[in-house]
Amino acid sequence: DLSWLRKRVREMGGRVADGIEGRIQQMNGMLDDSIYTVRKIAGQLRPALLDQLGLMAAMEWQAKEWEARTGITCRIQKQSEEPHVSNEQATQLFRIFQELLTNVARHAHATSVEVILSHAGDELYLEVSDNGQGIHEEEIHRPMSLGIVGMEERAARIGGSIHFTGQPGGGTTVRVTFPIEQVEL
């Protein structure tokens, strides 16, 4: 539509047309910036790495990006071979992981994070522990804790659960558990 409008304005000619064409160029630039931003956000919400290399690689990428941005050390351990989970499970677990890292950066006052991804039988476990100030029980159950509520909803969406434990001054550990929907490759 902007291209069509630009063409019609050029046909008009004159000083008024020049001013309008300048605004059209400005709008076109904002549109290009918006498209770039949407693509970037979409990539962060569900990076192509999830499809290309799997959950573990996507989490490692996210951890490195987050570590570079926050200066907080983030170490990931894989305790078993990564099972092939459904796209829905991979997406939900990845988004929970992102939210956990966001919460550490915003609230924990931590200097390091340890992440363990493992599975036993038909269950997958994600454990994220930080060495920060520790979450208090009342913070976990506060109805306005939208990040926590969102993570609980994401875990439930894939048939799982999420459990928060914190020790004042001793950090927080979050454990996500859910049944694996095995996917054929």
Side-chain angles (χ1 to χ4, degrees):
D1 287 346
L2 286 175
S3 295
W4 178 88
L5 187 57
R6 176 180 283 143
K7 184 178 178 184
R8 297 303 173 262
V9 167
R10 283 182 182 161
E11 290 171 359
M12 286 174 37
R15 284 177 44 157
V16 172
D18 290 343
I20 294 172
E21 187 164 348
R23 292 287 273 188
I24 291 171
Q25 285 177 327
Q26 193 177 31
M27 291 166 51
N28 212 28
M30 288 189 302
L31 183 60
D32 287 344
D33 290 347
S34 297
I35 290 169
Y36 171 79
T37 300
V38 167
R39 286 184 178 152
K40 185 176 176 184
I41 290 169
Q44 290 172 342
L45 292 175
R46 180 170 169 73
L49 284 176
L50 273 175
D51 295 325
Q52 296 166 354
L53 300 177
L55 178 61
M56 191 67 185
M59 288 175 61
E60 288 171 341
W61 166 81
Q62 181 67 59
K64 285 179 187 170
E65 291 279 315
W66 180 81
E67 187 177 89
R69 196 172 57 252
T70 64
I72 301 170
T73 304
C74 187
R75 207 174 93 215
I76 297 182
Q77 300 174 40
K78 182 170 68 169
Q79 292 191 333
S80 58
E81 286 300 311
E82 180 180 340
H84 300 287
V85 298
S86 71
N87 285 342
E88 176 69 8
Q89 288 180 321
T91 300
Q92 298 305 329
L93 192 60
F94 182 78
R95 294 291 291 126
I96 290 169
F97 178 63
Q98 285 181 310
E99 184 65 30
L100 288 171
L101 292 180
T102 297
N103 284 352
V104 169
R106 290 178 68 202
H107 306 294
H109 305 288
T111 58
S112 69
V113 174
E114 297 288 325
V115 180
I116 299 171
L117 183 65
S118 64
H119 75 89
D122 63 350
E123 287 198 314
L124 187 75
Y125 305 95
L126 172 65
E127 189 171 284
V128 178
S129 301
D130 68 61
N131 68 347
Q133 67 184 7
I135 192 168
H136 296 89
E137 192 69 27
E138 60 272 6
E139 292 173 303
I140 296 169
H141 302 293
R142 188 180 308 147
M144 294 309 292
S145 296
L146 298 179
I148 291 174
V149 169
M151 286 185 282
E152 290 171 337
E153 289 173 356
R154 287 183 185 284
R157 200 173 294 145
I158 55 176
S161 62
I162 188 167
H163 183 72
F164 297 82
T165 56
Q167 300 291 330
T172 299
T173 298
V174 180
R175 186 173 175 103
V176 181
T177 306
F178 65 91
I180 299 168
E181 289 178 17
Q182 289 290 343
V183 175
E184 295 295 319
L185 292 178

